[in-house]
Amino acid sequence: MNDSAIDLDDVQGVIVRGYRVKLVRHFVLTITDAAAASKLIEALVRGRAGFPTITSARLIAPKPASFVNISFSAAGLAALGLTAAQLASFDPAFQRGAADPVTAATVGDVGPSAPERWIGGLDNAARVHIVLSLWVASSAAVMETVSAQLRSAFVGGVSELYVQDGSEFPDNAVHFGYRHGIAQPTIIGMPPRKRDAPDAQPPVPAGEFLLGHLNAAGGTYRVLPQELSSNSSYGVFRILEQDVAGFEAMLARYAAETGIDPEMLAAKLMGRWRNGNPLTLAPTAQGTPLPDAELNKFDFVSSDAAKDDTLGLKCPVGAHIRRNNPRDAAVIGTGSTHHRLVRRSMPYGPQYDPAGVDTQARGLIGFFINASIRNQFEFLSSEWNRRDDFVKSATGPEGAAAGNAVYNISGEDVLGGVNDPATSSFTLAGKGPKGSANRTLGGFARLVTTRGGVYCFFPSIKGLLYLARLTAAAGTAPYQR
């Protein structure tokens, strides 16, 4: 397959396009009758009986009021008729599933985040078969109308285990106050969109997000049967609860202890100010928001001492954005391009009111999209987010006397790691040999708790039609739980 050619009509839109909407509703479904579920899939692909149609990556003008995409767990594909031999060709992490003990240990879903504590029946992987997502441009009325259409389509084939809504906040903010959705990868073969800001980072081969296309290693990810092996993808569905009160208390505590402004501390932990400006470009003050085209035009390494940040003096080596995309910094693995993710998330729950007594759950919900869960999502979660030895020895233009990157990171990711007050650590780098001028923050707890997860497979549009035919062709009996 030519890597420069992506069949937009065959790719589910969520994989390669951001819908830029205000509302989302995720339905977690279990298959009760495989034959009826197959008919449901075909009806959604064809748009029959007045049901909403699965959204492809092809741009539609004018912009639709809603978008629908569908994905399946390994148990869901088995319920539709894929054999054990066929499923054995899928990503090993996908075969394990999100609730598996090995998966949980790998990505840090332990303690309060452990699968047995998940909500909505998501702990029972055998029953979690489908995640169907409905994105709506702005109208709550449209959300309810389309949801009613979908629910009428569910009857007889699937039942709802859980439903979770999300809604966009002003200025694309999340509950911790940061602007989100910045630094999405540029995918080779995708036509540019007028509203997308140019990305200074290397474009990423389509095969990092789509099966059957060349990936960064020069190979292709494929599965059996062949009908599912082109233009499909994997998604990691996550419900991530955020402790906003704990985060703000943490900032206040360390501001008092260090004399550093709380907003500067917030920027150091993330690597960006809350308005999105990166510390590498705005190291001393937040300033006015940079144009979208400027927000991602930076690297961490330069031969020019004024621009270089090898040591993390501007953006800490352990900052959230630097752990998840080290860019040109020296790290273990095969470089950032091989481990990029597409993020499709939205806040859920009400915005935090520091003046009120508030015990409501809030956080982020959505998908991490990748063509290899193990090499992308799980690698980032286990290697770069949870280890502090992923950074290779590196000095800046001033030499070893100014420091070495390996001494300027400690602990796990403050926002994505498993942090215990007894062991947690975050390094604020100073200029000096072997970390001699560094300052370390410690004693903080975990700020993000996993409340649910599903490892999903997004078939291509043709793949969905294959699944719709599979049950009928095999004469599969109604699925029995």
Side-chain angles (χ1 to χ4, degrees), residues 57-255:
R58 178 72 62 186
L59 281 178
I60 302 172
K63 180 178 178 178
S66 64
F67 307 83
V68 176
N69 290 114
I70 189 169
S71 62
F72 303 86
S73 69
L77 293 178
L80 290 171
L82 259 64
T83 67
Q86 289 170 330
L87 286 170
S89 69
F90 282 66
D91 185 303
F94 173 75
Q95 294 178 56
R96 277 190 267 112
D100 181 84
V102 172
T103 299
T106 299
V107 303
D109 285 340
V110 297
S113 291
E116 58 266 25
R117 300 191 179 191
W118 287 357
I119 60 178
L122 290 166
D123 60 311
N124 188 349
R127 296 193 66 209
V128 177
H129 296 152
I130 297 173
V131 179
L132 188 148
S133 301
L134 166 63
W135 288 268
V136 172
S138 61
S139 168
V142 169
M143 172 67 80
E144 296 311 319
T145 297
V146 180
S147 293
Q149 293 170 342
L150 288 169
R151 284 174 164 138
S152 69
F154 296 164
V155 174
V158 300
S159 62
E160 296 178 28
L161 289 177
Y162 186 67
V163 177
Q164 177 68 62
D165 290 357
S167 59
E168 197 68 79
F169 291 162
D171 300 320
N172 291 322
V174 296
H175 287 290
F176 286 147
Y178 299 101
R179 180 179 172 183
H180 78 133
I182 302 171
Q184 298 278 23
T186 298
I187 301 173
I188 295 173
M190 282 294 295
R193 298 179 67 181
K194 292 180 179 179
R195 292 183 60 183
D196 287 340
D199 192 332
Q201 302 310 301
V204 182
E208 293 297 309
F209 309 104
L210 291 171
L211 275 62
H213 291 257
L214 288 177
N215 57 36
T220 57
Y221 295 112
R222 296 185 181 276
V223 300
L224 295 175
Q226 178 60 36
E227 288 85 349
L228 298 179
S229 203
S230 177
N231 294 325
S232 300
S233 189
Y234 296 100
V236 176
F237 178 72
R238 303 280 276 175
I239 304 174
L240 302 174
E241 187 172 304
Q242 297 174 321
D243 180 5
V244 184
F247 180 64
E248 295 298 334
M250 174 185 173
L251 295 178
R253 170 192 166 187
Y254 290 121

